[in-house]
Amino acid sequence: MPLNTQNIVILAIESSCDETSAAVIYNGKMLSNIVASQIIHEQYGGVVPELASRAHQQDIVRVVNAAIVESKIQKTDLSAIAFTRGPGLLGSLLVGTSFAKAFALGLDIPLIEINHMEAHVLAHFIDEPKPNFPFLCLTVSGGHTQIVLVKSPLDMEVLGETADDAVGEAFDKGAKMLGLGYPGGPKIDQHAALGNPGAFEFPIPEMPGYSFSFSGVKTSLLYFIQKHGQEFVTERLNDICASYQQTLITTLVRKIRKAAKELKIKEIAIAGGVSANKGLRKALQIEAEKQRWSLYIPDFQYCTDNAGMIAIAAHFKYIEKEFSHQQVSPMPRFQI
Ligand code: KG4
Ligand code: ZN
């Protein structure tokens, strides 16, 4: 298999959940990043795995073609094909994995597997400014809540994570209880911007070390809704969203502050879908000023799931020649 050592041109595919995405990266510079979001799940109030994998199958050819056309490269220019191996939904991962394997085999070029959570962290290396090593990354998504110590692009250590629900899940399930639909994070964010975060109190979980828990606050919202009734919820929706969101944000900020202090690290980053939350971005900016952190927040397009982050992660792996076998299969519970 000939290795392209002059230019590194990678086609990356992301299909771990409900976004079908493809990107082309050329020597570390993003040429295209196409994302097709599956709207079919809205009517069910959450991602339906079987429907997600079917939608990936329907969309993947169109999305990959669009990424190649926009990048203006030829398929024969490609040095490698990268794909998300996990974590994610098995049926969804299978579509991207199979497609990537077939593409790499057809072109006789290397295949690169990527851990989705590592890719969220490495999204910080797409644009300037880039964090300096070592840095701490608060990775907050629909399935994960982690504090990661990033020593180099390919050397990361999870210092703590959630014992139950992810913070994105707390946003989504909270929104569902409030009748806001799916995905709920952006909807709570919008209502919260118009409300008073101090209007109501929800409990802030006390967890040891750098671990998190979000199931209790979610339950307390349920009891709050049951106690006050639908009419009250409709009337005070903005204040409820602002207060609930504030509790989630305070929980996250406290833990990253603790990690930064104890590890004496002032390079702080956030990543993952929940890092698109305006309240969280603002709270971290305020904290960064107080603690004199250098804070890194990705561009909105690189916060939620996208193949651009898979592409940059693959660029680093290509340099180290970390390639995968054709026999590789998805890992729904792939750990960093
Ligand atoms: O990283 P991501 O796109 O997918 C996973 O890897 O899970 O994260 C999706 C999560 C969902 O829970 C979604 O509600 C949340 O990110 N999210 C937000 C916002 N935008 C997306 N949560 C709060 N505020 C937002 N603006
Ligand atoms: Zn993600």
Side-chain angles (χ1 to χ4, degrees), residues 116 120 141-143 168-169 171-172 183-186 189 272-274 276-277 303-305:
H116 181 88
H120 270 302
S141 72
E169 223 173 318
F171 269 104
D172 293 336
D189 196 1
V274 180
N277 185 272
C303 287
T304 45
D305 289 350

Side-chain angles (χ1 to χ4, degrees), residues 107-127:
L107 291 170
D108 191 24
I109 54 176
L111 187 61
I112 304 177
E113 69 192 64
I114 298 295
N115 178 303
H116 181 88
M117 299 313 294
E118 284 181 6
H120 270 302
V121 174
L122 293 174
H124 284 284
F125 293 87
I126 297 173
D127 289 331

